[in-house]
Amino acid sequence: MTPVVQAKGIVKRYGHVTAINHSDFELRPGEILAVIGDNGAGKSSIVKAICGATIPDEGEILIEGKPVSFSSPIEARDMGIEIVYQTLALSPALSIADNMFTGREIRKPGFLGKYLRMLDKPAMEKFAREKLTELGLMTVQSIKQPVETLSGGQRQGVAVARAAAFATKFIIMDEPTAALGVKESRKVLELIQDVKARGIPIILISHNMPHVFEVADRIHIHRLGKRLCTIDPKDYTMSDAVAFMTGAKEPPAQDAA
Amino acid sequence: MTPVVQAKGIVKRYGHVTAINHSDFELRPGEILAVIGDNGAGKSSIVKAICGATIPDEGEILIEGKPVSFSSPIEARDMGIEIVYQTLALSPALSIADNMFTGREIRKPGFLGKYLRMLDKPAMEKFAREKLTELGLMTVQSIKQPVETLSGGQRQGVAVARAAAFATKFIIMDEPTAALGVKESRKVLELIQDVKARGIPIILISHNMPHVFEVADRIHIHRLGKRLCTIDPKDYTMSDAVAFMTGAKEPPAQDAA
Amino acid sequence: EINACLITKTDTNPFFVKMKEGATAAAEANGINLSTYAGKIDGDVESQVAAVETCIASGAKGILITPTDSRALTPVITQARDAGALVIALDTPFEPANVADATFATDNFKAGVLIGQWAAAKLGDEAANAKIALLDLNASEISVDYLRDGGFLQGFGIDIKDPTDIGDEDDPRIVGHDVTNGNEEGGRTAMENLLQIDPGINVVYTINEPAAAGAYEALRSVGREDDVLVVSVDGGCPGVQNVGEGVIGATSMQFPLRMASLGIDAIKAWAENGTKPANTEGLDFFNTGVELITDAPVDGIPSLSSADGLKKCWG
Amino acid sequence: MSETSGMGSKGQHYEQVLEGSDTRVAQFEVRNTTLLSRVQHILHNNPTFVPVIVLVISLLAFGLIAGGRFFSAFNLSLILQQVSIIGMLAAAQSLIILTAGIDLSVAAIMVLMSVIMGNLAVNLGVPSPFAILLGFAGGMAAGAMNGLLITKVKLPPFITTLGTWSIFFALNLWLSGAQSIRSQDIDDQAPFLKFFGNAFNIGGARITFGVILMVVIFVALWYMLNKTAWGRHVYAIGDDMEAAELSGIRTERTLVSVYMLAGLVCAIAGWASIGRVGSISPQSFYEGNLQSITAVVIGGISLFGGRGSILGALFGALIVGVFQSGLRMAGVDVLWQVFAIGWLIIIAVAIDQWIRRVSA
Amino acid sequence: MSETSGMGSKGQHYEQVLEGSDTRVAQFEVRNTTLLSRVQHILHNNPTFVPVIVLVISLLAFGLIAGGRFFSAFNLSLILQQVSIIGMLAAAQSLIILTAGIDLSVAAIMVLMSVIMGNLAVNLGVPSPFAILLGFAGGMAAGAMNGLLITKVKLPPFITTLGTWSIFFALNLWLSGAQSIRSQDIDDQAPFLKFFGNAFNIGGARITFGVILMVVIFVALWYMLNKTAWGRHVYAIGDDMEAAELSGIRTERTLVSVYMLAGLVCAIAGWASIGRVGSISPQSFYEGNLQSITAVVIGGISLFGGRGSILGALFGALIVGVFQSGLRMAGVDVLWQVFAIGWLIIIAVAIDQWIRRVSA
Ligand SMILES: Nc1ncnc2c1ncn2[C@@H]1O[C@H](COP(=O)(O)OP(=O)(O)OP(=O)(O)O)[C@@H](O)[C@H]1O
Ligand SMILES: Nc1ncnc2c1ncn2[C@@H]1O[C@H](COP(=O)(O)OP(=O)(O)OP(=O)(O)O)[C@@H](O)[C@H]1O
Ligand SMILES: [Mg+2]
Ligand SMILES: [Mg+2]
């Protein structure tokens, strides 16, 4: 089966800092791929390179076997790729509903929508409320509230809900549960599994080993700017994974795939 | 023993949103107090009220038995209170060393420092590098690097190192390990215990139950803007704590302290 | 080869644009190499100082300048003269005038007096009950502004008190002063404002013809265009045309082209045999003259018709 | 693997209890203690009220100071006329300020386009509607130049428009030769250029088409900003450009469209200015850039972008107009008018900040 | 409690392996492929080079166009003199722009203070040094007014200084009666006011004390910004105000000190301007605000605050001076000078952005 994403020899330098150092990457259809690694290992950098949020200096990216070179994340999004950024990418002064729909707003039916391009706010608000309820974000007091008035975790919930609602090809989640509470994290993990059940593969960056081992089909271990190895969580323990990623143990000799 | 911090009936409203709803708070000498609660429960709000970063609408705060009303976090800091904010509070364009020392820079000895007020940059850089090494943040390539070029976790490391280095009264840490890797989180927990061993109490907000149960002496459970109860981690299980904080179970009838 | 400089107040006012054209043409005819400079806006002393310095540095034999501030430029002008350049003030005299070697200027006060007298004569006995609006330049009250304004009022027969201060008069016939920035938009707004204070205004003094055109639009919009006397100063061709069409009752024409060409001639003479131009008898400057242009001449005030004016106008 | 014994079928052991967790949406009682804070709250939720109230207060104040004349229908309609051109520029400026930009070139574009329309129609005999359309195209091109420099070359808007302001101003002087086109010549050759100078009277008030045009422009832009996706994108860009980009807004395209639209509005204002002034003068509106910014900030639109309603700019322009008219009627020197406007800016924005403080 | 079996003595079971983890600091080889990107890198690490290079290039270019006269020691020193006042304003402006502010009132403060000094010393007979000190105090007071409005009333700097600009301008016209004080009168009554007009010659160059003063101001401010804690705080505030506040900087006090210092520098520039112009003219330097901003941005200081070196502003001012002088010498019309300066701003800042792009 052709991988959904295949990246070869990606390099990204920032001045004297090397963020990605000839790294490979592979996401297979229908899987949840966890990406783990130390802080600053280059995890965010490599997924950003895949979705066009940064443009790599070297290397090749194939999506479903076809070479792509995105110049902006919008191109990736138009292909049905959704990303939950570590920085969330929400507009603080806009409402939750507006944020959920940026770039794909619903217009009113009929003349108003077609010619006057009027937005259908009630429809968008209803949808947004439903998605937040699915995630169990019950502390959000009003759906018209500007995002800047939400707590850190509530914001993360909004970003995750948005990605899950609109992805068709794959989703990248960069530490989606970092700021979330126990209950909310659990909901996100459930959501990830729901998405997978819909056949959409997911790249999950996380520092939470129990979460990673619970949901991942494969684990990509990133170290010093490159892929060290990929392991199957059924074959290795969390201790092994942590040992590989921190350099405490040598990784297994890798097979081709 | 007089509590280090005692807060009574704190209220904070933002327009129509109630962030703190007549909440109490208590930190005892030498202890690690964990604060847990759902996203948006008001954890960040209450600790910000304690350290002067927000000014509560109602209520009373005593520090070491003396009523205080901070009008800015600088006043709290001058008393030896350090905070690691959820948003970190680092200046992106300044170097790691500059960030560690903002507001308490080291001046050159002698005439240069005294009359020309010249900074002793080498001394500050050396100190900063030591502190980061203690935390195990080995991926930081240069101490003169602007903070904006660090990964999310590296930044958090800088903020934690700064607080630990300078606190004398107590430290508030708002989710200090949220963005940290396994190794780095571990270092932060060790650091927290070191700080406690120095006799400095710590308020630790965290969503990570294993961490909380590992280090906390007492756990403050926050729910819907107020303190629901405080529990001793030796008397209750993680499941109990989670059940209380999510409203799945009624909290125990609270004793006076 | 003779180097010379022309430094005007701005490059945006048609008056100076024309002056520059005149000087450039005269310089070409006389084989003089002329460089031109200007301030960015009225009052831009710094640009003019820099321009004079550049002229000194480039070894100019003569400098023609319309000082943007008649008092401010003295030191640099003195430097220029020390460096051997003939300095001639055009249009606006220095204070004192002998800062420059010579001044070729319109008597702005006289220009005001002419239109003031004309307006008073035109109204006859009604002049005692006139309601006068004065549309001035801007808040800074520079010399052209107070000279023309004061000249007009004095010509009209009003005590102007401090001649350098606008608006200190207490004659009840004055409805008010407002500023126009010397353009149509400002003229219109100012006229509207003053009409609000007293709709019965029947004499309007304007700092220049664009302001007059704007004032006329305001009058027209309230149907008063035919029963108000609008007077102005300048003598630009569009202004003279406006006199012909009844927009402006009378205007005092000045002669920027003449100033410029006289200036160039003087520099040539200075460069060739070291002679300096002389002032007009009884004045501390060489008066390049003002002519009253109106199609409704009154006795005792010599004037030209707009048709004749069009032959002499400058732009 | 024995190590993972802590994990149940559904995550960590302690997560098993989540089934029973509370599912209600949080609700708290709302109380506002003092009258002042209640007013502050109401205004906070309806920020456009603030300039409206300032406007009403200044109207009343000047009514008292300057007397009944000030309140005549005619005088009030006159203020509208005087405000109309700066109002349109303020509309254009608002669009740009909402994207966290600033446009120092709006007045330069306006004057340049009116000069182009005039030169074409009056001097070169191009039919007026055609000349006007060319002026509109020019306005959009000027806006596109700003927009492209900002998005493609990544220059800050302040710098870009500081530069293009000089450029447009120089072009304007060059094309016009610093000469005005006379009102009478326009009447003869191309009266259509003065279309917006036409007026009708209702009950003593004289309403020019230009005033109507200003209102129409504001309403249309308000609709676009508040009821269409494009408008939401404009706000999102002003709010946080990077977040907007990452969340799927074509920020560059939207920004260029904003600058082009602003350029078009300026060109329309240029046309309207011919009707208002009567003639076409390359020297007028030199201070129009700062005046438009003044109107926008008095109207409560944040210079940091993303916050405020474009209608605020309309009220802001009216407030300045009322002040100027009122001060003149009260016989205040130009000098002190300048002084008063300075304080007006500071006080109006201070009130606005006080209202916003509620949420800080 | 059996549930916690997953936890060892030191955290979770899987954390036990951390003992063996790698402890080296990460190192990567550094390679820059093309010559262009290498240049870009060097400049990126030394951003002040950029305006220096632009300055050298423009000097060479105008040397070619305008011929040898341009390169004479006298002409070059003349450019320095011409730049000195705007240069000092640019120094004040830089301070403020580094805090992410902007000051539209610098030139107004400067002129107002020179008028005050002149009125006191020449018209009222106050001894010159005393008049000058009062002017300095006035400059600091004006700066304090800006600073307090910005910190206490929380107005954006653009709006504050737009307002105070009007206020200072009106005061200036009022105090001076719109009249200049003549050079001769200053010579008679208070020659010390002209101190900075004195000059000495070295090899054909004429260096005024005003030029020296400008350089001294820049060096002093550079030292303060880069070598003292106060300077680091200024950068931190410009970078992220909230973070600066939370990380223990007394942001309000620092900001007020910045505005007061800028006001003082403006007052000093006001004194120097008397020496430069020779007289005291309330109308001069009307465009000084925008010119100082132009110098600052051409010098590579970010309008968003926190980035750039104050020395850049010096080079920025020199670049503009060289351009203006060169264009004048080459006989270019003012019209086209304005046009050229417009492009200069855009191109200089575009180059600067290109250099910065390396890290984006
Ligand atoms: N804009 C930038 N400029 C310079 N260096 C950068 C930039 N962005 C990232 N880096 C560097 O690249 C390296 C990788 O960063 P990245 O954000 O990809 O790490 P990460 O694996 O996502 O870490 P974390 O788990 O902390 O999020 C880090 O050393 C960081 O300092
Ligand atoms: N500036 C603000 N304006 C309006 N509402 C706010 C503001 N700050 C916080 N809130 C609201 O107050 C409530 C408590 O927020 P707080 O940040 O204290 O939560 P928290 O317990 O720290 O959550 P998290 O675990 O997600 O960080 C939330 O509902 C939030 O929406
Ligand atoms: Mg990351
Ligand atoms: Mg929080």
Side-chain angles (χ1 to χ4, degrees), chain B residues 2-225:
Chain B
T2 31
V4 180
V5 183
Q6 180 141 38
K8 292 180 200 147
I10 307 290
V11 174
K12 177 75 195 178
R13 293 195 193 83
Y14 294 106
H16 288 299
V17 177
T18 305
I20 321 179
N21 187 20
H22 297 96
S23 182
D24 299 328
F25 190 91
E26 192 187 85
L27 175 69
R28 299 183 188 158
E31 74 170 351
I32 297 178
L33 175 73
V35 179
I36 64 174
D38 276 349
N39 288 125
K43 305 180 295 299
S44 298
S45 301
I46 189 134
V47 297
K48 279 196 197 153
I50 289 168
C51 70
T54 57
I55 297 162
D57 298 329
E58 292 172 32
E60 190 189 15
I61 296 168
L62 308 171
I63 299 225
E64 292 179 337
K66 282 183 284 294
V68 294
S69 59
F70 297 131
S71 60
S72 102
I74 296 166
E75 295 173 22
R77 191 174 135 143
D78 287 345
M79 287 183 70
I81 301 170
E82 285 289 325
I83 310 108
V84 179
Y85 292 93
Q86 209 168 357
T87 51
L88 302 185
L90 300 172
S91 301
L94 296 190
S95 73
I96 297 172
D98 280 342
N99 264 292
M100 294 267 284
F101 283 91
T102 21
R104 51 191 147 217
E105 290 79 0
I106 307 180
R107 289 200 219 130
K108 279 250 164 77
F111 178 80
L112 281 177
K114 192 146 183 210
Y115 298 104
L116 295 181
R117 309 185 140 258
M118 191 187 267
L119 293 177
D120 191 347
K121 292 203 180 184
M124 298 198 290
E125 281 160 14
K126 185 158 159 285
F127 184 91
R129 173 51 92 186
E130 274 166 20
K131 292 293 158 191
L132 289 191
T133 308
E134 276 174 30
L135 268 181
L137 269 178
M138 313 312 281
T139 45
V140 172
Q141 293 172 33
S142 155
I143 205 79
K144 293 187 190 165
Q145 211 170 322
V147 163
E148 66 194 334
T149 64
L150 296 180
S151 77
Q154 291 171 327
R155 288 181 209 192
Q156 199 147 36
V158 173
V160 170
R162 171 168 70 178
F166 295 105
T168 58
K169 190 148 291 166
F170 65 92
I171 302 184
I172 299 173
M173 296 197 184
D174 196 350
E175 306 190 24
T177 61
L180 292 187
V182 176
K183 186 175 65 180
E184 293 81 1
S185 299
R186 176 72 6 226
K187 296 274 183 185
V188 169
L189 293 182
E190 283 170 13
L191 186 94
I192 289 177
Q193 273 154 334
D194 286 356
V195 171
K196 178 186 162 182
R198 271 161 49 201
I200 297 173
I202 291 167
I203 301 170
L204 170 70
I205 301 181
S206 178
H207 291 300
N208 189 318
M209 291 303 129
H211 286 172
V212 165
F213 273 76
E214 182 187 344
V215 301
D217 296 311
R218 277 190 321 139
I219 299 174
H220 166 133
I221 301 181
H222 215 76
R223 180 159 166 72
L224 293 176

Side-chain angles (χ1 to χ4, degrees), chain E residues 144-190:
Chain E
M145 172 166 171
N146 282 333
L148 291 173
L149 284 170
I150 288 164
T151 54
K152 298 293 170 200
V153 194
K154 309 244 182 286
L155 300 182
F158 189 97
I159 295 172
T160 307
T161 56
L162 185 65
T164 55
W165 168 58
S166 292
I167 294 171
F168 298 149
F169 183 67
L171 287 178
N172 161 25
L173 289 181
W174 176 61
L175 285 176
S176 64
Q179 293 287 344
S180 303
I181 299 175
R182 295 187 315 150
S183 179
Q184 292 84 339
D185 295 339
I186 301 173
D187 286 341
D188 291 350
Q189 309 283 320

